[in-house]
Amino acid sequence: MADFSEQSYRQPFPFLDIDPTMESLTQFAELNPQSFILDNSAFNFQTFFPLSINDSLFSNQASQGETMSGFIHNSNQSSVSAQPIFSAKTEVEEISNKRKALDILESSSGNSSSSSPQVSETGIKRRNNSGRGKRAKSNEKEMEKPKEVVHVRARRGQATDSHSLAERVRRGKINERLRCLQDIVPGCYKTMGMALMLDEIINYVQSLQNQVEFLSMKLTAASTYYDFNSESDAMERMQRRKAEEAKELERLMREGYVGIGGVACFHSSSTYGPL
Amino acid sequence: MMNTPQQVKNPSSSLKSRFITRFLGALTKITAEDPISSSSPTRIFQRYRRIKVASNKSMAYSVRSRRIWSRAMLSRFRSRRSAFSGRRSSVKTTNCTTSPPPALIKVTINEKKTAKGGLDMQTDELRELVPGGEAMDVCNLLDETAHYIKCLTTQVQVMRKIVDFYHLSK
């Protein structure tokens, strides 16, 4: 009992730090819409009966494996009332390390680390993903093995020291950003590794910058040509050459983003001026 | 209050419309200067440079200081403007973040990349491409890259439309 109260004191504060990073949590909560209603009732029940939480929690785990994830996310949003739950979880965890795991705070761990590095180390609890297959949430991207005070979900067989944890969180963030970039950059497939995707991204940015240059060249040609329709022969010759180059550029641009081809064309059009 | 359907940053105007306004203003100013009476390639090249700078500048100003890359670009412009007094032709292509020879070299380096060590090489390349990328960590770099790509595509789109208008008006 004294143990329990001690932990209940320790746990709440890191939990509070997670509050600022709610966006992904709400997203995650949206993923478990049905669990919301169920979890609310369980939630209230558990707040009021801390002593019996251990057993009730365990039985709840048994009954609502999946829904607990949504529950915890919702509890995140009201940190104060979530504290006793969390302390109860500590207790349960300490008692039985091989209990079923709850999927909590994978994304929150990622986001909390974005808010402050200490939070990820001291604020998040982790739980063991034990052998019960139903509970093993292997579809989440950030699961850490619970051994320390960090509230991050752990997968079985992964290192649990704070360094690798922070590293994993950081990698998760980077992967998230890469996924966004994947949608933006054409030609990126999910099956590609990070190196290939970065290659594609670099090529795309280069081609876009080249396109801007080509287009400004084209604009120059267009403005020069149309401003001075009646000029000498020399002027007309130059304009014709420019028009040809502009057509060439247009053709290249119609092929989509050019990459290396754009660079080659850039070479050919470098006769236009020193670059 | 008009809500444009494009990238809505604030309700009254979008990035695209801000860019269009600025860029068209700069463009008309440049074409009105009338340098082509002397049909020298250098004048034409000057005009090309000016248009390119105007395009990038308009985009950077449209984004203001909301992004690291726009801030870096704007500070680059300002330092250049203070360093060089009038002759824009003397300005080096610091605004040009890509130039043909390094791009070719970059391609060959890409082919030699290894699984893990190549990531550093590529992030370095990305840092060179995105303005202000040297001081960013990888996470922010990817963020800025996404926004930069978005702005670049807007730029390209608008410039194409303007070129089409030129052709149509003929």
Side-chain angles (χ1 to χ4, degrees), chain A residues 40-53 81 84-85:
Chain A
N40 261 336
S41 52
F43 176 94
N44 294 328
F45 173 65
Q46 286 172 357
T47 6
F48 297 139
F49 299 96
L51 272 179
S52 57
I53 278 180
S81 40
I85 308 297

Side-chain angles (χ1 to χ4, degrees), chain A residues 167 170-171 173-175 177-178 180-181 184-185 193-229 231-232 234-235 238-239 241-242 246-247 250 253-254 256 260 263-264 266-267 270 272-275, chain B residues 23 27 31-32 34-37 39-41 44-45 47-49 51-52 55-56 93 96-104 106-107 110 113-116 118-119 121-123 125-126 129-131 138-143 145-150 152-153 155-157 159-160 162-164 166-167 169-170:
Chain A
E167 179 67 30
R170 176 179 154 270
R171 257 184 273 145
K173 269 200 299 183
I174 291 180
N175 284 330
R177 306 274 157 97
L178 266 184
C180 292
L181 275 173
I184 297 177
V185 175
M194 182 161 166
L196 284 174
M197 287 215 294
L198 278 180
D199 267 345
E200 284 296 322
I201 292 167
I202 289 172
N203 278 337
Y204 190 58
V205 170
Q206 275 174 359
S207 84
L208 279 177
Q209 284 171 339
N210 285 341
Q211 277 186 41
V212 167
E213 292 186 19
F214 294 158
L215 279 171
S216 59
M217 221 187 286
K218 207 173 176 184
L219 266 178
T220 322
S223 69
T224 339
Y225 184 71
Y226 294 120
D227 285 348
F228 300 90
N229 286 338
E231 278 299 326
S232 64
M235 188 61 173
M238 190 172 7
Q239 286 166 358
R241 214 186 56 206
K242 262 182 275 153
K247 277 197 203 106
E250 212 176 317
M253 276 188 283
R254 293 240 171 81
I260 301 172
V263 175
F266 200 75
H267 272 295
S270 65
Y272 169 79
L275 277 168
Chain B
F23 183 53
L27 203 56
T31 53
D34 197 14
I36 312 295
S37 50
S39 58
S40 68
I44 295 170
F45 183 62
R47 189 183 251 200
Y48 152 71
R49 273 257 187 82
I51 292 182
K52 189 169 65 165
S55 168
N56 288 327
T93 56
C96 174
T97 48
T98 60
S99 49
L104 284 177
K106 278 175 199 168
V107 167
N110 272 341
K113 70 184 189 307
T114 58
K116 195 67 174 180
L119 287 185
M121 224 173 330
Q122 284 149 314
T123 48
E125 276 185 53
L126 205 51
L129 286 177
V130 176
V138 184
C139 204
N140 282 336
L141 183 67
L142 294 178
D143 234 0
T145 307
H147 190 261
Y148 186 55
I149 287 178
K150 189 173 83 164
L152 276 179
T153 47
Q155 232 177 315
V156 166
Q157 225 179 2
M159 285 170 88
R160 272 202 196 139
I162 296 179
V163 170
D164 288 341
Y166 259 111
H167 283 250
S169 68
K170 200 203 181 212

